[in-house]
Amino acid sequence: MITLKKIGSFVKVEHTLFSLPLLFAGALLAPRVPGTSFVPWDKFLWIVLAGVGARTAALALNRLIDARIDAKNPRTQSRELPSGALSRSQGWAISAVGAVLYLFAAAQLGPLCLKLSPLPLAVFALYPMLKRVTWAAHFGVGLGLALAPLGGFIGMTDAWPVEPGPWWLAGFAFCWVSGFDILYACLDEAFDRKEGLHSIPSKFGRPVAQDVALILHALALFCLVAMRWAAFSPKPTWIWTALAPVALLLTLEQKYGYSLEKDSPFFRVNAWIGAAAFVYVLVGVW
């Protein structure tokens, strides 16, 4: 019997913590009409529903596409599809419900949002396939999350972002999540090599992967630094205090990523990075 607990575990509801803060931050960067509220709450609600729907569709697709691989990997054999807790038809139904919710919410946000809505779905369907063909697959995951702040901005304005702020935030998301995924892939270095799957750890080894992740996390921090001059006005010196938690969390993620274990703080630290970036943006535009 399918339950909410099984569905939540299947689509990793906690992973929504990665994307929703970035959606919110992108929305905050949208120009505000004088005399209106700081956040148009009706649009904010539709952005939340779009984000939840898109993330549900994405995680379900990922699990469905990787089900056979997950069944071979000792680390992932207990997931819902390999273990039989959910059937493939149930998995497809969950993905379809997420996609419908996402498309419906996008339609409420405006014509441009609806027109662009297939683009994230295409990315979500493509990036799980990349590890079958290229070690650069991690950047597909980064691209998926980089769309979140752009989506939040477009959802608020129904216009393509020409301001630099959302693009710097997208750059942060791309570098942060790509670096995280490279470190995460170190868990499967031997398995990927054995099965002919492609990743930076399986191709170049763990030390190189850790160095690449370090560079990406440094670039992620640089993107947020650049936002101070690109998107925040006035530009108070104390804005750096709001950036400090992001820098600390990225440092901890890199540290814990060097020796991943089952209950490593690595995953909990990563869940807070998006929220810390949101606070930085909130302080900058307040």
Side-chain angles (χ1 to χ4, degrees):
M1 178 180 177
I2 189 169
T3 63
L4 288 176
K5 183 178 180 180
K6 287 182 182 179
I7 294 173
S9 176
F10 176 60
V11 300
K12 291 292 183 185
V13 171
E14 65 271 19
H15 285 195
T16 307
L17 296 175
F18 299 177
S19 56
L20 283 184
L22 296 175
L23 277 167
F24 300 157
L28 289 179
L29 290 170
R32 294 189 298 279
V33 178
T36 62
S37 63
F38 186 63
V39 176
W41 293 108
D42 55 339
K43 288 196 171 187
F44 186 83
L45 175 61
W46 289 120
I47 288 171
V48 171
L49 292 177
V52 171
R55 196 67 187 150
T56 298
L59 265 294
L61 274 175
N62 187 287
R63 293 290 187 260
L64 286 160
I65 292 170
D66 283 349
R68 292 183 180 178
I69 295 174
D70 289 344
K72 295 181 181 181
N73 189 340
R75 186 179 64 82
T76 57
Q77 287 174 343
S78 61
R79 288 176 176 173
E80 284 70 24
L81 291 179
S83 68
L86 289 178
S87 67
R88 289 188 64 85
S89 60
Q90 289 172 328
W92 282 113
I94 292 168
S95 181
V97 169
V100 169
L101 176 61
Y102 161 62
L103 292 172
F104 179 75
Q108 310 310 306
L109 290 168
L112 182 61
C113 286
L114 183 59
K115 183 178 180 180
L116 293 175
S117 60
L119 179 59
L121 292 179
V123 173
F124 299 153
L126 176 63
Y127 79 67
M129 304 298 297
L130 292 178
K131 63 185 174 186
R132 293 159 171 83
V133 295
T134 175
W135 53 262
H138 315 281
F139 301 108
V141 183
L143 177 61
L145 266 292
L147 294 175
L150 300 177
F153 182 96
I154 295 171
M156 195 62 68
T157 63
D158 201 40
W160 190 255
V162 295
E163 296 86 348
W167 293 100
W168 281 117
L169 189 57
F172 160 77
F174 176 80
C175 294
W176 158 42
V177 175
S178 297
F180 162 79
D181 196 66
I182 290 170
L183 292 174
Y184 184 36
C186 290
L187 285 170
D188 294 328
E189 178 185 357
F191 175 81
D192 288 349
R193 194 175 290 124
K194 177 184 175 183
E195 295 294 323
L197 298 172
H198 301 274
S199 70
I200 289 179
S202 67
K203 174 70 174 179
F204 302 104
R206 180 172 295 202
V208 171
Q210 291 167 340
D211 288 343
V212 173
L214 177 61
I215 293 170
L216 286 168
H217 284 156
L219 288 173
L221 193 60
F222 170 79
C223 288
L224 291 188
V225 170
M227 281 188 66
R228 184 197 176 211
W229 287 274
F232 301 155
S233 181
K235 308 172 183 65
T237 301
W238 53 265
I239 190 68
W240 300 126
T241 61
L243 184 60
V246 184
L248 175 61
L249 289 167
L250 285 170
T251 301
L252 289 173
E253 176 165 288
Q254 192 70 30
K255 173 186 175 183
Y256 293 130
Y258 284 161
S259 56
L260 281 176
E261 297 176 357
K262 182 178 180 181
D263 297 320
S264 171
F266 173 77
F267 303 100
R268 293 192 295 275
V269 166
N270 190 67
W272 283 101
I273 292 177
F278 167 76
V279 171
Y280 173 66
V281 173
L282 178 64
V283 170
V285 301
W286 192 266

